[in-house]
Amino acid sequence: MSAPAKTEIAQACAVLAAGDGGLSRAFEVCGTPTWRSKPLTYATLVELVTYQLISTIAAASIWGRIEAHLGEVTPDAVLQAPVEALQACGQSRPKVAHMKSIAQAVETRALDLAGLPDMPRVQALQALLKVKGIGPWTAELVMLYGLGEIDAFPHGDVGLMESYKRLTGADVRLSGKAFSELAEGWRPYRGVAAHLLWAWLNAERAAEKQTGQTRKLS
């Protein structure tokens, strides 16, 4: 589990805010965001797979049931678990297959998680993407959360695109391709930009929820 120094994140935020109005607003509201760090483990990998393409609420519920069923989410536990048992936790059949293929890769050391921190960024990313079930979004989040890569960027992340839409007052979200092209201008701090956008969106949603509760009470 790794993260850039807070001073490095703050300096990157200042650079990003100077060059982008949306990020400037996010920085003004949220300040320096806390880096999302996760241990570089098999459990982290398959948790990220679980969260892919579904709502965070639904994913958290499914993941909680998987943890409760397995006790500890390890490659061996997943390989031993019947497909039907993992599906009963709410996991889709394709994602169960991904959990098992990633477990097999870790068990056979086709994917050497312990060795990833010592690899150059491109090599580490390629090692992740070679494993069936690990796509670009998941791989970039592993680079971001597990390796503290300051320029890692989860392309196509709906939360990031929604945050930027709101920050800039746009009527519609940018397409995934257009958003990725925009993010090229945030190099070499795209990971910091992602944290700024997540932090602002979470704060905005919390404020909306509080306002809704207040209105309901009144």
Side-chain angles (χ1 to χ4, degrees):
M1 186 162 56
S2 180
K6 189 168 184 178
T7 53
E8 186 179 6
I9 299 171
Q11 289 168 358
C13 286
V15 172
L16 291 166
D20 187 288
L23 297 180
S24 176
R25 184 183 173 200
F27 188 37
E28 182 180 347
V29 171
C30 300
T32 303
T34 300
W35 196 266
R36 297 182 175 190
S37 293
K38 284 182 174 289
L40 191 58
T41 62
Y42 168 76
T44 291
L45 271 173
V46 292
E47 181 182 8
L48 291 173
V49 168
T50 300
Y51 274 74
Q52 190 171 11
L53 299 177
I54 61 176
S55 74
T56 55
I57 294 175
S61 178
I62 293 168
W63 184 247
R65 289 195 291 271
I66 289 172
E67 288 185 309
H69 176 70
L70 295 178
E72 183 180 0
V73 183
T74 65
D76 182 63
V78 169
L79 289 171
Q80 295 298 323
V83 170
E84 296 75 16
L86 296 174
Q87 283 187 278
C89 295
Q91 195 77 299
S92 69
R93 180 172 284 271
K95 287 187 177 181
V96 170
H98 294 336
M99 290 177 69
K100 287 182 175 289
S101 66
I102 296 168
Q104 186 68 30
V106 173
E107 283 280 86
T108 62
R109 296 184 66 81
L111 175 61
D112 179 15
L113 290 177
L116 288 180
D118 298 324
M119 297 180 189
R121 168 182 160 77
V122 173
Q123 187 179 345
L125 197 57
Q126 288 175 343
L128 289 163
L129 291 172
K130 283 180 182 177
V131 180
K132 185 177 180 180
I134 301 178
W137 182 83
T138 301
E140 290 286 351
L141 285 182
V142 172
M143 301 295 289
L144 200 67
Y145 297 166
L147 297 176
E149 284 285 341
I150 204 163
D151 193 44
F153 192 75
H155 298 278
D157 188 279
V158 175
L160 296 181
M161 293 189 287
E162 176 64 17
S163 181
Y164 196 77
K165 178 184 82 74
R166 294 194 193 190
L167 280 163
T168 57
D171 293 328
V172 295
R173 289 200 298 255
L174 291 171
S175 67
K177 181 180 179 181
F179 189 65
S180 292
E181 290 173 352
L182 172 73
E184 286 296 307
W186 300 336
R187 285 182 181 272
Y189 303 125
R190 291 178 301 167
V192 178
H195 279 82
L196 273 173
L197 292 170
W198 280 323
W200 183 86
L201 185 62
N202 287 339
E204 183 76 356
R205 285 174 172 168
E208 288 173 351
K209 183 177 180 180
Q210 182 62 41
T211 300
Q213 289 174 340
T214 302
R215 288 176 179 170
K216 188 174 181 180
L217 289 172
S218 61

